[in-house]
């Protein structure tokens, strides 16, 4: 158990709440969830489902109608032929990370994962006793990965490669040529890919590309996607994995052994989310794009900060090395002295040193307030 890591965002949120309880005003830019409400049509579908009696257990892999809707959506968006028996619905995107690593990696195996990256990857790889092999995401590549470097990390012990695009925490987005090169680097080795595409609908430039779409890769890909970010449904707890049917059966068995099933009424709301109107998705995306502009321009005016433009997700990841402060110390100081909650880049792995992560899932007004505070803090302390 000592090997299990954590997600610092929840700890910083707790610290910020404690300061608020003492009467301090804090701008929350730490947590990664849309500040919008779940669209009304989806909430109505969930409420109706409760009244209609979707209050019982359902199949471990998810309700067939939702699995059909997901299979159709994935077939269209990833240009593959996905079937309902290749879909497992789980409570959030996170369990797909947990289950996949538990199912596929063990002592003696190596798992390559992005660093800086979502901390649960490294945590789970360490937990199962496999070797965590970081692939460093570099700012000069706009935080896409260097495929030559990746090729050098792959060997006969590599069991699993984790990709995440659009990426948390950097906002990096893999281009088609990157995805093609990754598939070439894997070649015909017996390596599975966990492709975390939870931010697939939050792209500001270009298009989303999935490794699943490449010839010969569908059988070796576990696609992770879900509802939390796309439809502002973080608290509903619903996500899914799409994978080979034989693996899907095993992952569903892990569901039987843990959560039994995802909440039934939630799944009915999920069908509405996928099949209903999509205008709210575009509205949120446009709003995040506006905020991104304000945040990046504002950070680039602050002493010691420089920030690239993220191409997806809802985070900015400024370089703070010119402040001369280590990331964790700077994040703590901004929270305690300036009332701005952000995360240290090191919350996402060792290669996050020199960076901070700010979530832009907050209003333009609050983003402006945070920028003023950080700027005033920098003028005073640097
Ligand atoms: C990259 C990435 N994957 C997975 C998740 C988990 O999403 P969920 O809340 O649906 O479990 C997150 C949430 O922050 C994330 O950033």
């Amino acid at each position: 158990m000592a090997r299990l890591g954590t997600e610092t965002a929840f700890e910083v949120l707790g610290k910020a709440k404690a300061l608020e309880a003492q009467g301090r005003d804090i701008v929350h830019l730490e947590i990664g969830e849309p500040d919008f409400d779940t669209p009304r049509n989806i909430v109505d579908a969930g409420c109706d489902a409760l009244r209609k009696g979707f209050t019982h257990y359902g199949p471990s892999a998810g309700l067939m109608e939702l699995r059909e809707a997901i299979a159709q959506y994935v077939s269209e968006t990833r240009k593959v032929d996905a079937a309902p028996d290749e879909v497992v619905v789980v409570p959030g995107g996170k369990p797909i990370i947990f289950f996949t690593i538990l199912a596929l990696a063990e002592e003696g195996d190596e798992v390559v994962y992005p660093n800086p990256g979502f901390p649960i990857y490294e945590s789970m790889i360490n937990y199962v006793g496999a070797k965590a092999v970081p692939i460093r995401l570099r700012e000069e590549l706009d935080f896409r990965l260097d495929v030559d470097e990746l090729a050098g990390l792959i060997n006969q012990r590599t069991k699993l490669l984790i990709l995440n695009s659009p990426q948390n925490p950097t906002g990096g987005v893999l281009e088609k040529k990157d995805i093609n090169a990754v598939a070439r680097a894997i070649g015909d080795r017996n390596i599975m890919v966990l492709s975390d595409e939870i931010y697939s609908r939050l792209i500001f430039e270009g298009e989303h590309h999935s490794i699943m779409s490449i010839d010969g890769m569908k059988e070796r890909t576990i696609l992770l996607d879900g509802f939390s970010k796309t439809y502002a449904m973080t608290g509903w707890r619903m996500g899914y994995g799409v994978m080979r049917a034989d693996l899907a059966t095993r992952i569903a068995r892990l569901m039987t052994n843990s959560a039994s099933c995802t909440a039934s009424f939630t799944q009915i709301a999920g069908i509405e989310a996928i099949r209903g109107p999509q205008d709210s998705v575009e509205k949120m995306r446009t709003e995040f794009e506006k905020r991104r502009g304000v945040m990046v321009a504002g950070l680039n005016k602050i002493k010691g900060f420089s920030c690239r433009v993220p191409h997806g997700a809802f985070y900015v990841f400024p370089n703070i090395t010119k402040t001369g402060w280590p990331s964790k110390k700077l994040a703590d100081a901004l929270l305690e002295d300036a009332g701005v909650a952000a995360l240290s880049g090191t919350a996402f792995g060792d290669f996050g040193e020199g960076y901070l992560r700010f979530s832009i899932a907050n209003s333009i007004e609050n983003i402006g307030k945070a920028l003023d505070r950080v700027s005033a803090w920098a003028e005073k302390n640097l």
Side-chain angles (χ1 to χ4, degrees), residues 51-208:
R51 290 196 192 89
K52 284 183 182 145
F54 283 92
T55 53
H56 300 274
Y57 291 131
S60 291
L63 297 176
M64 190 39 90
E65 196 185 343
L66 176 58
R67 292 166 74 199
E68 280 167 3
I70 291 168
Q72 189 186 352
Y73 170 73
V74 167
S75 298
E76 285 164 14
T77 52
R78 273 66 172 200
K79 299 171 196 74
V80 291
D81 200 7
D85 67 349
E86 295 172 314
V87 177
V88 186
V89 181
V90 293
K94 238 180 199 174
I96 291 297
I97 302 172
F98 190 95
F99 293 157
T100 299
I101 295 174
L102 196 60
L104 297 181
E106 60 192 1
E107 239 167 275
D109 294 334
E110 296 189 5
V111 182
V112 182
Y113 71 102
N115 188 326
F118 191 49
I120 302 307
Y121 309 140
E122 189 180 289
S123 163
M124 278 304 298
I125 299 164
N126 288 333
Y127 181 62
V128 300
K131 182 175 172 198
V133 180
I135 166 83
R136 183 176 196 155
L137 302 187
R138 295 177 189 279
E139 184 179 354
E140 53 279 19
L141 286 176
D142 267 341
F143 299 108
R144 290 156 39 232
L145 50 81
D146 179 332
V147 185
D148 290 336
E149 213 170 319
L150 172 71
L153 298 174
I154 291 176
N155 61 44
Q156 65 279 30
R157 288 181 299 279
T158 310
K159 204 51 171 294
L160 182 68
L161 163 66
I162 302 176
L163 298 177
N164 173 213
S165 177
Q167 214 250 352
N168 175 12
T170 64
V173 171
L174 293 176
E175 295 174 8
K176 194 166 186 183
K177 64 172 192 284
D178 302 321
I179 299 275
N180 281 327
V182 170
R184 274 199 304 276
I186 294 172
D188 53 11
R189 289 185 184 83
N190 189 20
I191 295 175
M192 297 292 283
V193 179
L194 170 60
S195 185
D196 184 341
E197 302 179 20
I198 196 103
Y199 297 100
S200 59
R201 301 278 290 270
L202 276 165
I203 295 230
F204 305 120
E205 281 91 24
E207 274 174 62
H208 176 65

Side-chain angles (χ1 to χ4, degrees), residues 7 32-33 91-95 97 117-118 121 164 166-168 196-199 224-229 233-234 237-239 314-315 357:
E7 201 182 341
E33 70 170 340
K94 238 180 199 174
I97 302 172
F118 191 49
Y121 309 140
N164 173 213
Q167 214 250 352
N168 175 12
D196 184 341
E197 302 179 20
I198 196 103
Y199 297 100
L224 179 164
D225 204 339
F227 299 81
S228 301
K229 320 286 178 180
M233 291 177 75
T234 47
R237 305 314 300 139
M238 185 169 43
F314 42 65
Y315 310 104
R357 189 195 80 171

Side-chain angles (χ1 to χ4, degrees), residues 18 20 27-28 44 62 72 80 100 106 134 198-199 208 225 246 255 271 295 311 315 322 355 358 365 379:
E20 280 172 328
V27 185
H28 289 274
D44 286 347
Q72 189 186 352
V80 291
T100 299
E106 60 192 1
I198 196 103
Y199 297 100
H208 176 65
D225 204 339
D246 59 337
M255 272 295 284
I271 297 167
M295 191 68 178
H311 297 304
Y315 310 104
K322 294 219 166 85
Y355 299 89
F358 292 92
E365 189 193 345
E379 288 305 322

